Amino acid sequence: MTTSSVDAREQVPLPPMGAVGFARWSWRQLTSMRTALILLFLLAIASIPGSVLPQRGNDPIAVRNWIEDAPTMGPILDRLGFFEVYSSPWFSAVYLLLFISLVGCVIPRAAQHWRAMLALPPAPPRNLSRLAGTIEQTSGLDPQQVIDSAASVLRKQRWRVRVEEPAEAGSASGSSWVAAEKGYLRETGNLVFHLSLVLLLVAVAVGGLFGWKGNVIVREGRGFANTLTQYDAWGGGAFVNPATLPDFSFTLTDFRVDFERSGAQRGAPSFFEADVTYRTNVSAAEQTDVIEVNHPLEISGAKIFLVGHGYAPKFVVRDAAGKVVFDDEVPFLPQDGNFTSTGVVKAPDGTPQLGFRGLFLPTSALDDVRGPHSVFPAPDDPSVFLSAWQGDLGLDAGAPQSVYRLDTVAMTQLGLEALRPGDIWVLPNGSGSVTMTGFTRWASFQIARDPGKEFALVSAILAITGLMCSLFMRRRRVWVRATQAANGITVVQVAGLARKSTLDDLQSPSLEAELRDLANALRGPEIASSTVKEPK
Amino acid sequence: MTTTGLALASNACIYAAMVTLTLAMISFAVSFAAGRRRVAVAVAQEVPVAAGGTALLERMPTNDDSSTGRRSGNIAMSLTWLSFGLLLIGVVLRGIWAGRVPWGNMYEFSISSALGILAVFLFLSTRHDLRWLGLFITIPTLLTLGLAVTVLYTEAAQLVPALKSYWLIIHVSAAIICAGAFTLAAATAALSIVRSRAERRPGEVTGMMAKVPDAQRLQTLTYRTVAFSFPLWTFAVVAGAIWAENAWGRYWGWDPKETWAFITWVVFAAYLHARSTAGWRGDRAAWIAIIGWVSFLVNYFGVNIFVNSLHSYAGVG
Ligand code: HEM
């Protein structure tokens, strides 16, 4: 390998030849402040599409509709990852580069900071009176005493102090000084802040790999046991074994909801809550709890959140022979704020099979434009609109079917009818009958376990703490020099320098105050005068 | 007082605050336009300080404003205080009327944000002479209030269940202060850009721009304001995440509202970086601060009104 003569500290305008030189050059570019700035910008821009286009993780149905509505653009955008922006390769590339840059930037700085914390404060510049805000005063004490008392004052205020005794104490030219430094916390805070961002990323990754999340609809009076088959939807990280989910269970004993009856937010839910009884494992005793929107139930590290609710009308279906082929409550999914809900009833046991598409209206209304719809979410005037189908439900084909969709390719429509609770509809051609016997409510729960979330919270708190130190602390130095003048009087100079901070570009008023206080503390009994120097 | 009485009183206070603030804006404009060219008075190089006395260092050149300018500037400040008081009463009465914190819909967020802008401005004005900034603060505040009473007005209602949490108070109060601080930062950033353009022209700065501090100082003010609000915004986002975890079972879900909060955060982080990057400290950094403020506005108005998000509790439309 050829030796590269590139100085690591030097800014190189063009990539040098040679693999090592180029690698080094690239690394330096990647870890430069300018690159960090550009990557931060890219991160902001790359986040935007995901807020404009529907995202699969949040709303898969909207994504499907979007792609169907835009047959040319849709699939292209889909292939480019625009419907899963935050796990797309390009978004990942931006944040991974940013974090590599961050680590590459922070580690050398941490090493440098470590050395700086071990080093002694530097000696004062030769001419202290050239610094802004330097205070000069005289003292009746000799230089030695002035320096000793300065050092003790500074130590008491928790400065890092270095004292230099005069070469020849008591001689006319004797000049001694003390140097002090404070505010290392600023750089420490900055490093802690950046490193906590890395921790936060790790926490998010832990949650993604070891966490799981599922959704389930539970009807009033029914139960749920935490196994994969009971979920309507479930997703887990790469390191989760779905066979070993914690074996808790619960029953929805009662679900209560109330809606605003007047005002601008008429129809908005004013509260909803679910009474449950639960067992933390198969052999545990039964306990009770109320799950509300901001009050999940936590069992074995998993949290059960109440995320939605709806109606489940109850039907009894008889076949042509009068035999009951279906008798159950069917969850219908709300389609609008007034809970106009859709659902499907499948009765595969009849011959031929019967199927129904339904619309449940808690407060029924009918108009020419919108057809049957609900005008209020509470069940003030409930009814269902059913369309009945006869034929083959297609359940035997083997392909899994959604319980919310009726596949009517092999079926013929029998008719349409509106039913109120208690109504019976005798189907045409002696095909049987359907009765709406009533309705109940259901609640939907999200059950999630995220083992990274406490870790994420700790990282975030560390980040904020570090950030505050970084932004509000100032690294500053103070020097006191005491010189024996020819006439035997001791001249004391108190000077300081604040490093860049929130107060940069300006003189630091608080450093001025510190210098002033220090000068006052050093003032002996016989003082002539003191002078403050302004910057030239 | 009856419920409707409270509502009427609250609305009356908000309207009165708007009228007062309009007068304040006019006075600020008069004071801005009336001043003669500022004469920089050199400050003594060495200020002898009496023993034990405090060394008061004059840092700003004194303003040699015309007396009209100064008087209307003072009147404007008083009017702004008055408007702040009225607005505060209006917001509090709204809360009493609704029987909860007044942060349930966009109308309430908007009047509270207007209060936040004035609060940050007035707080800083007790420490610095900010009369030159008043015009650029009263304008966005009035726009916010105008939008609130015309487009966004809603009757008080119960909070939707997701909002019933003490995290609401923590999260939203931090966000409201940030609204004020980001607006202030954007105003000083914009002024610093115009001012530095004026400074680059040959000769002394004249006209309106002579009335504002020099670009360097404006940039520093912007930086200070962002340095104050960035940790607060970080906190607001974290509080929001805790709340989301409590309500929906995940602390972060890239919902549009969350995404734009993140974008705002990243842009202001970029601003702080730019302040430490050679070649980026001046106008470019100022532009980034303005972009940060715009993304805050996108989050507030854009996402609440146009995007279907879990957070769509705006109560409009
Ligand atoms: C996740 C990405 C990052 C975020 C959100 C971020 C955020 C911040 C913030 C808010 C500050 C201001 C705090 C202060 O001024 O002390 C800051 C400062 C700083 N950042 Fe970053 N940063 C990121 C990545 C990086 C990277 C990749 C580098 C290295 C190239 C870097 C280097 C620095 C340095 C050197 C400072 C201190 C500047 C100063 O002394 O004023 N940061 N960062």
Side-chain angles (χ1 to χ4, degrees):
Chain A
M1 244 185 273
T2 55
T3 50
S4 166
S5 61
V6 185
D7 185 319
R9 256 153 257 280
E10 194 174 290
Q11 186 75 31
V12 182
L14 278 174
M17 295 303 166
V20 174
F22 184 77
R24 222 182 258 181
W25 176 85
S26 313
W27 179 249
R28 208 169 318 119
Q29 292 302 306
L30 182 62
T31 57
S32 77
M33 275 303 264
R34 176 158 323 191
T35 309
L37 189 55
I38 290 165
L39 286 172
L40 278 169
F41 255 118
L42 280 180
L43 186 64
I45 291 166
S47 307
I48 296 176
S51 73
V52 181
L53 294 169
Q55 296 294 295
R56 217 162 251 135
N58 291 339
D59 198 348
I61 298 163
V63 172
R64 205 178 51 215
N65 295 343
W66 206 99
I67 295 175
E68 273 168 15
D69 291 347
T72 42
M73 274 313 278
I76 295 175
L77 290 180
D78 195 16
R79 202 159 323 127
L80 293 176
F82 275 89
F83 298 107
E84 279 149 318
V85 165
Y86 307 104
S87 51
S88 69
W90 43 273
F91 188 80
S92 313
V94 173
Y95 76 74
L96 286 178
L97 274 177
L98 184 58
F99 273 93
I100 293 170
S101 167
L102 192 160
V103 171
C105 175
V106 162
I107 287 180
R109 277 177 57 207
Q112 201 179 339
H113 183 51
W114 180 253
R115 285 193 297 274
M117 288 211 294
L118 295 181
L120 286 172
R126 181 166 305 153
N127 193 350
L128 279 182
S129 58
R130 295 235 318 244
L131 293 174
T134 296
I135 300 172
E136 264 183 42
Q137 61 190 22
T138 53
S139 168
L141 303 172
D142 66 44
Q144 185 67 53
Q145 288 169 307
V146 172
I147 292 308
D148 285 349
S149 80
S152 87
V153 168
L154 288 166
R155 281 209 184 91
K156 227 171 272 162
Q157 293 169 359
R158 313 215 292 119
W159 290 72
R160 175 194 295 276
V161 176
R162 167 181 174 192
V163 181
E164 194 84 359
E165 304 295 345
E168 324 134 48
S171 83
S173 65
S175 147
S176 44
W177 50 263
V178 54
E181 188 159 8
K182 201 176 183 176
Y184 296 90
L185 209 51
R186 181 195 133 79
E187 181 70 1
T188 311
N190 188 294
L191 295 171
V192 166
F193 167 72
H194 284 87
L195 287 174
S196 339
L197 295 181
V198 180
L199 284 186
L200 186 61
L201 189 71
V202 172
V204 172
V206 166
L209 292 172
F210 295 93
W212 51 266
K213 186 165 91 173
N215 289 82
V216 61
I217 283 181
V218 181
R219 286 164 283 170
E220 241 174 338
R222 306 296 178 106
F224 166 83
N226 190 34
T227 55
L228 204 51
T229 49
Q230 296 235 339
Y231 281 101
D232 299 329
W234 190 89
F239 297 146
V240 181
N241 179 359
T244 58
L245 297 181
D247 58 346
F248 59 82
S249 60
F250 68 88
T251 303
L252 178 64
T253 50
D254 191 18
F255 184 79
R256 276 167 278 120
V257 57
D258 208 357
F259 301 95
E260 290 287 322
R261 293 249 163 214
S262 59
Q265 291 181 334
R266 182 172 187 275
S270 51
F271 80 89
F272 48 97
E273 50 193 32
D275 288 349
V276 293
T277 59
Y278 65 95
R279 293 177 202 276
T280 52
N281 59 60
V282 185
S283 48
E286 200 167 69
Q287 291 167 275
T288 59
D289 194 33
V290 182
I291 306 181
E292 294 167 66
V293 168
N294 282 309
H295 179 74
L297 169 63
E298 185 160 3
I299 308 175
S300 322
K303 277 190 174 176
I304 303 167
F305 299 88
L306 177 60
V307 289
H309 62 101
Y311 294 96
K314 188 164 196 270
F315 299 99
V316 174
V317 181
R318 289 167 211 274
D319 66 4
K323 189 174 67 132
V324 174
V325 288
F326 184 93
D327 180 2
D328 206 358
E329 302 136 0
V330 187
F332 274 37
L333 300 183
Q335 305 297 313
D336 60 27
N338 286 324
F339 283 71
T340 304
S341 309
T342 59
V344 158
V345 180
K346 297 178 190 178
D349 293 343
T351 25
Q353 295 177 327
L354 288 171
F356 302 87
R357 279 201 187 122
L359 210 54
F360 179 82
L361 315 171
T363 301
S364 313
L366 185 64
D367 68 35
D368 291 344
V369 186
R370 298 182 51 195
H373 63 278
S374 171
V375 290
F376 195 73
D380 294 342
D381 178 18
S383 70
V384 284
F385 273 70
L386 289 182
S387 74
W389 298 75
Q390 190 178 44
D392 183 0
L393 287 167
L395 291 175
D396 306 326
Q401 243 192 24
S402 163
V403 293
Y404 299 106
R405 277 179 105 106
L406 188 67
D407 183 4
T408 54
V409 281
M411 305 190 89
T412 50
Q413 192 170 7
L414 295 173
L416 290 166
E417 191 60 68
L419 302 176
R420 288 174 194 282
D423 285 355
I424 179 163
W425 176 24
V426 178
L427 299 172
N429 317 328
S431 307
S433 69
V434 56
T435 315
M436 181 200 180
T437 54
F439 66 90
T440 181
R441 292 181 195 271
W442 55 260
S444 64
F445 297 93
Q446 171 152 301
I447 305 178
R449 177 171 145 72
D450 181 346
K453 67 173 186 256
E454 285 82 10
F455 191 33
L457 182 60
V458 171
S459 319
I461 292 170
L462 266 180
I464 294 177
T465 316
L467 189 59
M468 306 242 280
C469 292
S470 172
L471 288 170
F472 303 137
M473 293 283 169
R474 281 166 315 115
R475 177 94 165 264
R476 53 212 192 273
R477 292 175 180 158
V478 163
W479 294 283
V480 179
R481 178 182 275 145
T483 315
Q484 190 102 59
N487 55 5
I489 292 174
T490 302
V491 177
V492 181
Q493 285 177 310
V494 181
L497 204 57
R499 291 270 287 266
K500 205 172 75 66
S501 74
T502 309
L503 304 157
D504 65 348
D505 298 344
L506 291 186
Q507 298 171 37
S508 151
S510 43
L511 180 65
E512 274 163 25
E514 279 176 324
L515 294 182
R516 219 155 47 226
D517 291 347
L518 183 59
N520 285 339
L522 295 181
R523 206 159 267 162
E526 312 101 81
I527 321 113
S529 74
S530 70
T531 320
V532 175
K533 294 264 194 288
E534 268 293 298
K536 304 286 165 342
Chain B
M1 228 186 294
T2 61
T3 309
T4 42
L6 278 172
L8 286 176
S10 167
N11 293 352
C13 285
I14 306 278
Y15 279 108
M18 287 178 68
V19 171
T20 329
L21 200 59
T22 311
L23 294 175
M25 181 185 70
I26 294 168
S27 313
F28 276 128
V30 168
S31 104
F32 202 68
R36 273 184 282 127
R37 195 150 36 78
R38 190 159 104 177
V39 183
V41 179
V43 186
Q45 290 287 311
E46 270 185 23
V47 187
V49 181
T54 45
L56 248 186
L57 297 178
E58 190 73 7
R59 234 164 289 108
M60 279 283 289
T62 39
N63 245 339
D64 184 32
D65 292 335
S66 74
S67 60
T68 332
R70 178 168 309 164
R71 206 176 318 122
S72 55
N74 290 340
I75 291 171
M77 283 309 292
S78 311
L79 286 168
T80 311
W81 276 105
L82 183 59
S83 174
F84 173 76
L86 288 166
L87 199 53
L88 182 66
I89 298 170
V91 171
V92 169
L93 287 179
R94 173 86 186 185
I96 298 173
W97 175 33
R100 53 170 170 74
V101 285
W103 299 329
N105 50 52
M106 268 191 87
Y107 170 72
E108 293 170 355
F109 289 140
S110 300
I111 58 176
S112 303
S113 303
L115 192 68
I117 301 176
L118 290 186
V120 173
F121 170 66
L122 289 172
F123 172 71
L124 287 179
S125 79
T126 59
R127 312 164 130 226
H128 309 273
D129 179 2
L130 290 182
R131 280 173 297 186
W132 53 270
L133 188 59
L135 183 59
F136 306 94
I137 289 301
T138 46
I139 290 173
T141 315
L142 269 174
L143 285 177
T144 311
L145 285 174
L147 265 175
V149 299
T150 52
V151 183
L152 305 172
Y153 186 79
T154 35
E155 299 291 323
Q158 282 296 304
L159 292 179
V160 297
L163 287 183
K164 281 185 190 152
S165 162
Y166 53 86
W167 284 108
L168 167 76
I169 301 169
I170 296 169
H171 172 72
V172 178
S173 54
I176 283 170
I177 298 171
C178 286
F182 288 155
T183 307
L184 194 87
T188 51
L191 280 175
S192 81
I193 291 169
V194 181
R195 168 82 196 199
S196 76
R197 203 158 288 167
E199 283 173 11
R200 275 197 299 274
R201 277 197 293 272
E204 219 176 317
V205 176
T206 56
M208 297 267 224
M209 276 305 117
K211 294 287 295 180
V212 304
D214 57 43
Q216 178 91 135
R217 190 175 150 74
L218 287 166
Q219 286 161 6
T220 305
L221 250 158
T222 311
Y223 178 57
R224 286 188 186 190
T225 317
V226 175
F228 159 77
S229 44
F230 185 77
L232 192 62
W233 182 243
T234 313
F235 172 76
V237 173
V238 171
I242 296 173
W243 180 16
E245 202 278 328
N246 231 9
W248 299 309
R250 86 287 185 290
Y251 58 87
W252 197 264
W254 295 108
D255 177 89
K257 194 102 191 165
E258 296 167 356
T259 303
W260 278 95
F262 174 76
I263 293 171
T264 307
W265 187 78
V266 170
V267 173
F268 278 111
Y271 168 82
L272 290 176
H273 265 210
R275 290 282 305 177
S276 312
T277 307
W280 281 79
R281 312 192 74 213
D283 287 359
R284 287 186 184 177
W287 278 113
I288 301 177
I290 294 171
I291 294 171
W293 178 67
V294 169
S295 65
F296 183 86
L297 291 189
V298 168
N299 202 10
Y300 184 54
F301 291 108
V303 177
N304 273 348
I305 297 173
F306 300 113
V307 182
N308 183 17
S309 136
L310 273 179
H311 292 76
S312 294
Y313 35 69
V316 288

